[in-house]
Amino acid sequence: MLIFNNTTSSSGFLLTAFPGLELAHVWISIPVCGLYTIALLGNSIILFAIIIERSLHKPMYYFLSMLSVVDLGLTITTLPTVLGVLWFHAREISINTCLIQMFFVHSFSFLESSVLVAMAFDRYLAICSPLKYATFLTDTMSWVIGLIICIRQVLFMFPSIIVVNSVSFQGGQELSHPFCFHPDVIKFTYTNPWISSFWGMFLQLYLNGTDLLFILFSYILILRTVLSIVAPKKQQKALSTCVCHICAVTIFYVPMITLSLAHRLFSSTPRVICSVLANMYLLLPPVLNPIIYSLKTKVIRRAIYRLLRIRSSRDYSVRSLRERWERRRQFSST
């Protein structure tokens, strides 16, 4: 809270879930709560399975664990305000709280983009340079790449704190989403929002734009390598290892680009559409990523099944020990 020191004419902003559907918020909250539960459980299970299962201690799954951590962070960041608006109509949010949430939402969003680039690099090395894959992309190098991603994030997000800290906001304004989103918040400033808006657009284009170009370039090289393979089965096997990543890239970038265009270029976009796009942008990747990777990757599916089986066997053994203890107590009492 001490990071931000903004002056406002009111105590904060007003969040909005689904404009015009306020009476149905309780019913809408049921599927939304279900999606949040799937996101939290799915990413937690995948992360725990990768940590426990030694056969998953490989670069590809290290990057997947990073993706799960980022998805968990993005989910936890927006969960209180989204469910607060839907369940309790708690629409008011203070300026400092809003700015902190906005900072974490965009930080995790940029982190997810960077992790997807690292996963594309992993697939590129595995398919185009399989001999260098084992020697170059070691466990240590995987964590070095993760550290570089975090340092890059800090270097670009720190100026954002300085820029936002110099802006004065008009409190009491109604936002378009149940969470704080930079293009939505920056519209309600006393001073000229050009600097902050330009910096936000620069980050969006530079970080996410260059990440997306790198991913596309990687897949152009992968496709060229796959097409040079003579055996059709080997072609299919090589492409099948990229299916999950392609799905993850699609469900992340398509809603993000659509929402950014709706805010910055199409100001006349209905608020309901913006709200739906915002919830898709936040919920689709954390919900679908664990489902896609668990369904399409046999190793992860087996690890999750083994993990659940161990858990059930432990529960059964604990239950049987309790029953034996109760029987002994009853026998001793008689």
Side-chain angles (χ1 to χ4, degrees), residues 277-295:
L277 289 174
N279 285 283
M280 289 175 60
Y281 163 64
L282 286 180
L283 282 175
L284 274 185
V287 170
L288 294 182
N289 282 340
I291 295 175
I292 291 170
Y293 275 95
S294 59
L295 290 178

Side-chain angles (χ1 to χ4, degrees), residues 61-76:
Y61 303 110
Y62 289 147
F63 293 136
L64 179 58
S65 66
M66 296 177 195
L67 186 67
S68 295
V69 170
V70 172
D71 282 338
L72 282 172
L74 190 61
T75 303
I76 294 170

